Amino acid sequence: MSRKPSTPKAPGAGGLTSRVTVQEGTARRWDDWFVLLDEWGAESHKHGEIVRWLTEEQGVDHWWAQTLTVGYEQERGMRAPD
């Protein structure tokens, strides 16, 4: 299933970390992470499983893995914003 790239909100307007900050911290943009997570099937996984996949399989720092997971879950309707 192909999804339209998400447009995360800036800090203070929904709480997602800014695009620039995510790219600086992870070397990828939010949209790139969402595509990668969608391709992996993250919507069918629990929060901890997504974090673990990001840290173990993608080499993401734990703090960033948590940030990306929460942002992804919010954008996909898996978690209420804020």
Side-chain angles (χ1 to χ4, degrees), residues 17-73:
T17 305
S18 78
R19 290 173 187 252
V20 172
T21 303
V22 168
Q23 189 165 358
E24 288 173 353
T26 68
R28 290 190 176 153
R29 300 174 307 142
W30 272 115
D31 290 347
D32 298 329
W33 283 114
F34 290 154
V35 168
L36 190 64
L37 287 161
D38 285 339
E39 288 173 354
W40 178 65
E43 282 187 281
S44 65
H45 292 274
K46 294 181 180 181
H47 179 89
E49 294 170 327
I50 299 170
V51 171
R52 189 171 21 264
W53 182 79
L54 286 167
T55 57
E56 293 177 4
E57 300 297 323
Q58 299 302 313
V60 176
D61 173 80
H62 184 77
W63 188 90
W64 278 111
Q66 286 287 344
T67 300
L68 293 168
T69 300
V70 169
Y72 178 83
E73 290 170 330

